[in-house]
């Protein structure tokens, strides 16, 4: 594509600028904002003016105006409850991030600037809403590729994590001799899985299902640091989300690995496959929610239940898991508040018999999930998870 007056501020020599320019609509008129009346007219006008400045090549002014749009939208996103934030304000925030990224990358050359642009892009992905056919995901992939080609090692201004030290840490393995084990199968047929586990809602560990996934050979702390070190992700701080000191922070993967080991990244998504058994559900592949869980030994997910079917695939390390049938719900003492109604009050491995007298009698299944194994957790089954090692898992929620 030859340079033209469509956006002369992104002229054509630099590969990064060319790649980003190719993602944009061809003309300013095609950059449709489509915002509702929920967004104040003055803000919509400011966003339109910033877009005109981008296509007009006045990038310094565009950067200043897009930052103002982003800051104003940020205030809207952080006022009141998240569920009450109108989606159009999230779209405004995403547009502000997009324009800011494009301006920052107009004359790249310094990896620190490109890393800063990637951070802005990730914030748009995390806090914004999809715009222009998920353009921010494509922009992030281009920026990540550019950074990978320009450098080796940690992100700018990031400390190299002490990986060897982390690998020696392990949490205690419980005595499971008296516990009923989750049954194991090796690659059962779809029909067998449906008849014996999906329909009757029986947990099972599936072996051989994930052996061919690239992540089983490729993923390590070093690999994740290399591929995703500069990406910004939400991180849960604290051993379990029911603790008072538990909190969430946004930080780069490198910072998380550096601080705590020693979660939107296509490069990692390509290394996994959706289990074939998900085809037995009612939805399409795009309806499946995929989450990655990365954490140090001792990380706990309290006893809770989810409304969808779940395949939990273990990639790195081991996890101790307990499963309780939905029929045992009363003996598991769920929280009475709406926010935690799907979470038990009981500390599973150290229960208080006076507060929760029925809990010890509730039957359960248990297992240690090892790399390459996939655990089927039926919908509404209660599950407790504790990482025994530095652990990376992938979950697939499906209906």
């Amino acid at each position: 594509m030859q340079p033209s007056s469509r956006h002369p501020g992104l002229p054509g020599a630099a590969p990064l600028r060319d790649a980003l320019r190719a993602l944009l609509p061809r003309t300013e008129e095609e950059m449709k904002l489509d915002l509702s009346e929920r967004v104040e007219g003055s803000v919509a006008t400011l966003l339109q003016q910033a877009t005109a400045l981008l296509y007009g090549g006045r990038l310094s002014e565009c950067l200043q105006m897009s930052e103002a749009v982003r800051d104003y939208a940020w205030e809207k996103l952080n006022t009141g409850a998240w569920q009450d934030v109108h989606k159009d304000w999230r779209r405004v925030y995403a547009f502000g991030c997009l324009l800011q990224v494009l301006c920052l990358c107009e004359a790249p050359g310094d990896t620190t600037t490109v890393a800063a642009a990637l951070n802005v892009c990730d914030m748009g992905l995390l806090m914004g809403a999809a715009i222009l056919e998920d353009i921010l995901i494509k922009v992030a992939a281009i920026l990540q590729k550019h950074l990978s080609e320009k450098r080796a090692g940690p992100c700018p201004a990031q400390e190299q994590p002490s990986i060897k030290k982390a690998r020696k840490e392990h949490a205690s393995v419980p005595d499971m001799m008296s516990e009923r084990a989750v049954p194991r199968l090796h690659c059962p047929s779809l029909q067998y899985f449906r008849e014996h586990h999906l329909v009757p809602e029986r947990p099972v560990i599936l072996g051989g299902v994930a052996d061919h996934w690239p992540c089983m050979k490729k993923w390590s702390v070093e690999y994740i640091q290399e591929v995703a070190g500069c990406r910004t992700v939400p991180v849960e701080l604290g051993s379990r989300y029911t603790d008072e000191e538990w909190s969430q922070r946004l930080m780069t993967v490198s910072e998380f690995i550096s601080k705590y080991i020693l979660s939107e990244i296509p490069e990692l998504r390509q290394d996994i496959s959706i289990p074939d058994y998900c085809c037995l559900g009612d939805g399409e592949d795009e309806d499946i929610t995929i989450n990655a869980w990365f954490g140090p030994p001792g990380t706990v997910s309290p006893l809770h239940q989810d409304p969808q079917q779940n395949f939990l695939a273990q990639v790195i390390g081991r996890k101790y898991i307990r499963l309780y049938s939905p029929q045992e719900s009363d003996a598991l003492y769920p929280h009475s508040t709406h926010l935690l109604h799907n979470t038990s009050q009981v500390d599973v491995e150290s229960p208080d018999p006076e507060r929760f007298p029925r809990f010890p009698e509730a039957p359960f299944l248990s297992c240690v999930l090892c790399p390459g194994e996939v655990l089927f957790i039926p919908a509404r089954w209660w599950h407790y998870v504790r990482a025994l090692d530095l652990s990376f898992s992938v979950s697939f929620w499906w209906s």
Side-chain angles (χ1 to χ4, degrees):
M1 178 168 27
Q2 296 297 317
S4 74
S5 59
R6 288 180 291 117
H7 23 68
L10 298 173
L16 177 60
R17 287 175 291 178
D18 282 348
L20 295 175
R21 184 180 63 180
L23 299 177
L24 293 174
R26 294 183 61 81
T27 65
E28 177 188 339
E29 290 72 27
E30 293 176 34
M31 179 83 94
K32 295 181 179 179
L33 306 181
D34 294 328
L35 301 174
S36 71
E37 65 281 357
R38 291 292 192 100
V39 176
E40 298 155 20
S42 59
V43 177
T45 299
L46 199 63
L47 196 50
Q48 290 171 341
Q49 291 172 348
T51 302
L53 290 171
L54 174 73
Y55 278 86
R58 297 161 63 184
L59 296 171
S60 177
E61 296 169 77
C62 176
L63 178 60
Q64 186 175 5
M65 197 169 288
S66 62
E67 286 177 342
V69 168
R70 185 180 169 214
D71 288 345
Y72 190 83
W74 178 261
E75 293 301 321
K76 292 289 186 180
L77 298 183
N78 287 277
T79 301
W82 177 252
Q83 62 264 30
D84 297 331
V85 176
H86 195 273
K87 188 175 182 180
D88 274 358
W89 279 113
R90 295 177 59 201
R91 297 179 69 243
V92 168
Y93 184 78
F95 270 115
C97 291
L98 174 64
L99 295 176
Q100 190 173 352
V101 167
L102 294 170
C103 293
L104 288 171
C105 294
E106 186 272 337
D110 135 36
T111 57
T112 301
T113 301
V114 179
L118 181 56
N119 176 263
V120 172
C121 189
D122 281 333
M123 290 300 297
L125 287 168
L126 290 166
M127 302 297 291
I131 57 171
L132 303 176
E133 299 180 348
D134 287 321
I135 190 172
L136 287 178
I137 292 178
K138 301 168 189 173
V139 169
I142 290 172
L143 297 179
Q144 178 69 36
K145 184 173 185 292
H146 178 85
L147 287 171
S148 298
E149 293 170 349
K150 290 292 182 183
R151 60 170 174 78
C155 297
Q158 294 286 343
E159 180 184 343
Q160 185 77 345
S162 175
I163 294 169
K164 290 183 179 179
K165 181 179 179 181
R167 285 179 172 170
K168 295 178 182 177
E169 296 177 1
H170 302 280
S172 61
V173 180
D175 181 5
M176 300 171 60
M177 293 296 292
S178 61
E179 300 178 2
R180 287 179 58 210
V182 178
R184 282 176 157 81
L185 291 174
H186 185 83
C187 293
S189 68
L190 292 176
Q191 182 179 354
Y192 186 93
F193 174 78
R194 180 186 180 89
E195 292 178 359
H196 293 86
H197 295 279
L198 179 61
V199 174
E201 298 183 338
R202 293 175 184 155
V204 64
I205 294 172
L206 303 176
V209 172
D211 290 349
H212 64 287
W213 294 1
C215 63
M216 293 300 168
K217 294 181 179 178
K218 293 167 63 175
W219 284 12
S220 64
V221 175
E222 298 95 328
Y223 176 76
I224 294 163
Q225 170 87 359
E226 177 186 349
V227 171
C230 285
R231 301 303 299 273
T232 300
V233 294
V235 173
E236 298 179 353
L237 303 179
S239 82
R240 61 191 77 199
Y241 63 76
T242 51
D243 291 348
E244 287 186 10
E245 65 272 18
W246 182 89
S247 63
Q248 285 184 308
R249 268 190 60 197
L250 296 176
M251 64 180 71
T252 65
V253 171
S254 283
E255 183 183 356
F256 171 65
I257 291 173
S258 179
K259 262 191 171 179
Y260 298 102
I261 297 300
L262 299 137
S263 206
E264 327 297 346
I265 303 174
E267 292 81 0
L268 296 180
R269 171 64 182 86
Q270 294 166 6
D271 291 340
I272 62 176
S273 302
I274 295 174
D276 292 341
Y277 304 100
C278 291
C279 74
L280 299 172
D282 298 328
E284 303 296 329
D285 279 1
E286 55 267 23
D287 299 321
I288 298 171
T289 300
I290 302 175
N291 286 310
W293 309 98
F294 186 27
T299 301
V300 169
S301 180
L303 186 61
H304 69 285
Q305 61 177 185
D306 298 309
Q308 291 182 293
Q309 316 282 5
N310 183 9
F311 283 119
L312 181 63
Q314 192 66 17
V315 181
I316 297 173
R318 302 165 300 156
K319 284 184 170 176
Y320 170 66
I321 300 173
R322 280 200 197 179
L323 300 167
Y324 293 81
S325 166
Q327 298 175 1
E328 306 300 328
S329 294
D330 288 344
L332 305 184
Y333 300 90
H335 283 271
S336 57
T337 62
H338 176 72
L339 183 63
L340 292 174
H341 71 281
N342 69 329
T343 302
S344 169
Q345 301 177 63
V346 182
D347 182 345
V348 168
E349 294 190 75
S350 183
D352 183 337
E354 294 186 4
R355 290 184 62 199
F356 312 114
R358 297 179 57 191
F359 178 75
E361 304 305 320
F364 63 89
L365 299 173
S366 68
C367 67
V368 170
L369 196 66
C370 298
E373 295 182 330
V374 179
L375 172 64
F376 170 58
I377 305 175
R380 297 176 301 280
W381 269 69
W382 296 83
H383 46 290
Y384 165 86
V385 184
R386 177 166 63 87
L388 301 177
D389 313 303
L390 173 68
S391 173
F392 207 138
S393 311
V394 180
S395 63
F396 304 83
W397 291 337
W398 53 290
S399 299

